[in-house]
């Protein structure tokens, strides 16, 4: 992500480019895949929680300029008060559920894919439309701890399903509300008590089953379990 300015208006925006160690590694198939991902992303421009694409191009590699200035990382939500965390997580769930309604799956929902604008008004999900062909230039897409079990072997890298998004969103909830990760929220250590939120914990357990066919929830249903505090 790069901070840029409109040369006419001076309005700040965000330039997003691939994090490439070597530009020569983008062959035609990967280039076409990245360009196709931008088309998927642009189809969600009207969905809250998806930053609109202002401009896009392909020389010397795919790039996009996003409408808001996304300068704040996921850590701002991790370290927020509990009520702000639950609100932000509900918004993330609503964005994913809205994408599923129009047939779009993200497939790599994790802290690195989430940013905020300067006002921290609402979380924005980046990286829509990426598929397994981008592994060559983005191997981190397939090594982060939020991967669903069916994504963890290279042979199984197929187009992600809604069950993948559900699994990854449930891990975000587990991390941010119950302290699953090694870096739990720092705001006075305030987490939800599992015994007080059994319905949410039970829903998370269903959503994180190893077998995707047994994740018998929608993201909309899981989001509804996130409490308003």
């Amino acid at each position: 992500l790069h901070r840029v300015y409109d040369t006419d208006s001076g309005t700040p925006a965000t330039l997003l480019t691939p994090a490439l160690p070597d530009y020569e590694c983008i062959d035609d198939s990967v280039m076409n895949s990245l360009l196709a991902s931008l088309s998927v992303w642009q189809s969600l421009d009207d969905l809250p929680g998806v930053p609109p694409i202002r401009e896009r191009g392909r020389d010397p590699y795919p790039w996009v300029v996003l409408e808001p200035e996304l300068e704040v990382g996921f850590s701002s939500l991790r370290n927020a008060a509990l009520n702000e965390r639950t609100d932000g997580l509900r918004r993330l769930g609503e964005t994913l559920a809205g994408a599923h309604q129009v047939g779009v799956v993200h497939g790599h929902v994790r802290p690195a894919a989430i940013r905020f604008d300067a006002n921290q008004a609402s979380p924005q999900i980046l990286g829509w439309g990426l598929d397994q062909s981008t592994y060559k230039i983005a191997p981190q897409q397939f090594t982060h701890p939020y991967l669903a079990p069916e994504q963890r072997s290279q042979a199984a890298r197929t187009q992600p399903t809604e069950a993948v998004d559900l699994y990854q969103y449930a891990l975000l909830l587990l991390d941010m509300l119950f302290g699953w990760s090694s870096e739990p929220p720092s705001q006075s250590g305030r987490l939800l008590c599992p015994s007080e939120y059994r319905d949410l914990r039970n829903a998370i357990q269903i959503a994180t089953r190893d077998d995707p066919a047994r994740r018998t929830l929608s993201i909309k249903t899981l989001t509804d379990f996130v409490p308003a505090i």
Side-chain angles (χ1 to χ4, degrees):
L1 293 177
H2 309 274
R3 189 180 193 182
V4 295
Y5 294 88
D6 186 291
T7 54
D8 295 324
S9 67
T11 304
T14 299
L15 172 67
L16 180 63
T17 63
L20 301 175
D22 180 357
Y23 295 154
E24 293 180 358
C25 70
I26 295 190
D27 57 28
D28 287 343
S29 64
V30 175
M31 174 71 84
N32 291 336
S33 177
L34 287 171
L35 292 172
S37 77
L38 297 184
S39 296
V40 172
W41 188 336
Q42 205 153 26
S43 73
L44 300 173
D45 268 359
D46 295 330
L47 184 64
V50 178
I53 293 178
R54 181 192 296 178
E55 296 180 53
R56 53 184 283 193
R58 59 173 298 158
D59 294 322
Y61 44 81
W63 56 267
V64 292
V65 175
L66 304 176
E67 189 67 37
E69 180 186 8
L70 300 173
E71 62 178 22
V72 184
F74 188 75
S75 59
S76 65
L77 182 60
R78 180 182 295 282
N79 297 326
L82 182 57
N83 65 313
E84 294 175 341
R85 267 181 277 144
T86 56
D87 180 65
L89 289 165
R90 279 199 310 275
R91 290 172 184 263
L92 286 174
E94 290 165 358
T95 297
L96 292 167
H100 289 182
Q101 285 184 332
V102 296
V104 176
V105 172
H106 189 282
H108 295 282
V109 181
R110 68 198 195 285
I114 299 166
R115 289 289 189 274
F116 291 79
D117 62 22
N119 297 321
Q120 300 187 41
S122 180
Q124 305 286 310
I125 304 178
L126 312 179
W128 295 90
L130 295 174
D131 63 22
Q132 70 274 16
S133 66
T134 61
Y135 177 75
K136 185 186 297 186
I137 63 165
Q140 71 277 8
Q141 292 278 345
F142 298 92
T143 57
H144 60 81
Y146 287 80
L147 285 178
E150 60 268 32
Q151 293 180 291
R152 291 176 190 158
S153 91
Q154 185 165 357
R157 286 186 193 129
T158 57
Q159 198 66 21
T161 65
E162 292 183 11
V164 167
D165 282 355
L166 175 67
Y167 182 95
Q168 294 168 345
Y169 176 61
L171 286 190
L172 276 178
L173 297 180
L174 194 61
D175 180 4
M176 299 293 291
L177 299 181
F178 295 101
W180 162 69
S181 77
S182 60
E183 187 186 354
S186 64
Q187 181 72 21
S188 304
R190 180 88 192 279
L191 299 166
L192 295 183
C193 175
S195 62
E196 293 179 16
Y197 294 94
R198 288 196 181 113
D199 288 345
L200 175 58
R201 282 286 291 159
N202 290 339
I204 289 174
Q205 287 177 348
I206 293 171
T208 53
R209 288 170 174 165
D210 284 349
D211 183 355
R214 298 184 63 238
R215 297 176 204 149
T216 52
L217 288 175
S218 68
I219 281 190
K220 173 66 169 62
T221 300
L222 181 55
T223 302
D224 290 342
F225 282 110
V226 179
I229 295 176

